[in-house]
Amino acid sequence: MPEGLSRLAERFAAGETVLGGWLHLPGGVSAEVMGHAGYDALTVDLQHGLIGEGGLVATLEAIAATPAVPLVRVPWLHPPDLMRALDAGAAGVICPMIDTPGQARALVQACRYPPRGGRSFGPTRARLVYGDDYGVRADLDTLVFAMIETGEALGNLEAILDTPGLSGVFVGPGDLSLSLTGRATLDFRGGEPAGAVARIAQETLRRGLIPGIFTPGAELARAAMDLGYRFVTPGSDLALLAGAARAVLGELRGQQPTPAPPTSY
Ligand code: 3PY
Ligand code: MG
């Protein structure tokens, strides 16, 4: 599927909103289920998910059997992890806890080849999946998202967004609310997080970059889209499975299903 690398970048460039799935469950079948369900992109979450680095390639292979574009959230800003995810065939990366312009520059540096950055050349599986010209196309099409999820990142938002080579930002509402209010919740609609989440979308769109966000389901995904978010994740595989199980049991037992907690990943 040699055109695969540019598929998502082209959709963003055309102004489309992309619906992303989020993978926490190991084993590959869940990735296939999510991909065939119709998500535009699937992010393998190596930070909080249960898929270890050893399971990454098998999960990317499972995604490749579906129409979804594969992305990876790396565990932290650690250049070897970023380069390995891209070499393994991720079409883009999402990097947690980018709080300063220096960290944003280090992120881009790890993901772009010279002269734009310092990514080392060796696209082992990426070349198999995307074609022999991967090396010359990678910098144009690889998506690089910096996660904005602390008060410090908010204070540095403009400078982070002005980092050359960044595709966009991705809001982690759980960490952001924890940092701003001392309590983690994925529901960003109240108090200080609400203003912050709206401002991040505005500033990102103003620069022609892509604002992305994690949400636990359709209601908050819709609220994010109404704020201008163009890369929205309505739930992880784990949370969707838990929600469906609660709903079916609630129906059969004649009870209201237990609502998912607002921290539900
Ligand atoms: C957060 O909410 O902090 C996240 O990182 C979501 O993935
Ligand atoms: Mg987070």
Side-chain angles (χ1 to χ4, degrees):
M1 204 190 298
E3 80 288 359
L5 188 64
S6 58
R7 245 183 315 151
L8 209 54
E10 279 167 8
R11 294 192 57 180
F12 282 125
E16 291 178 35
T17 297
V18 164
L19 296 179
W22 201 259
L23 302 181
H24 274 176
L25 294 174
V29 175
S30 173
E32 287 181 300
V33 170
M34 295 284 278
H36 287 302
Y39 285 99
D40 303 313
L42 289 178
T43 300
V44 186
D45 180 9
L46 295 182
Q47 184 185 23
H48 293 304
L50 305 172
I51 302 163
E53 223 241 330
L56 175 61
V57 170
T59 308
L60 292 172
E61 287 170 339
I63 298 171
T66 79
V69 175
L71 305 175
V72 170
R73 172 165 70 175
V74 292
W76 204 251
L77 174 59
H78 181 50
D81 290 346
L82 289 155
M83 294 188 208
R84 285 176 68 76
L86 295 173
D87 288 346
V93 286
I94 299 174
C95 185
M97 298 285 185
I98 298 298
D99 290 341
T100 66
Q103 289 169 347
R105 279 195 300 277
L107 167 61
V108 170
Q109 175 81 6
C111 298
R112 307 287 184 208
Y113 286 123
R116 290 177 172 192
R119 179 178 171 193
S120 171
F121 190 76
T124 327
R125 181 170 174 274
R127 185 163 42 195
L128 285 179
V129 177
Y130 300 121
D132 282 341
D133 61 347
Y134 175 83
V136 293
R137 292 177 34 229
D139 278 358
L140 292 177
D141 295 329
T142 299
L143 294 160
V144 181
F145 289 93
M147 287 197 73
I148 302 295
E149 45 185 354
T150 65
E152 186 181 1
L154 273 183
N156 289 320
L157 181 64
E158 282 79 2
I160 291 172
L161 286 167
D162 288 339
T163 307
L166 212 57
S167 310
V169 295
F170 196 86
V171 177
D175 276 308
L176 185 63
S177 58
L178 185 60
S179 169
L180 294 179
T181 71
R183 195 176 70 89
T185 171
L186 294 170
D187 190 342
F188 52 80
R189 290 173 294 188
E192 209 182 331
V197 166
R199 180 164 86 84
I200 294 167
Q202 281 162 13
E203 291 298 328
T204 307
L205 290 167
R206 199 202 308 280
R207 288 163 176 79
L209 300 177
I210 307 156
I213 189 164
F214 181 86
T215 72
E219 188 181 337
L220 281 155
R222 172 62 63 196
M225 284 156 70
D226 290 345
L227 291 172
Y229 281 87
R230 301 202 22 238
F231 176 28
V232 172
T233 56
S236 72
D237 51 3
L238 185 75
L240 291 167
L241 178 63
R246 277 193 297 268
V248 80
L249 287 174
E251 184 172 335
L252 291 174
R253 290 179 176 147
Q255 298 160 351
Q256 280 294 99
T258 327
T263 45
S264 161
Y265 251 130

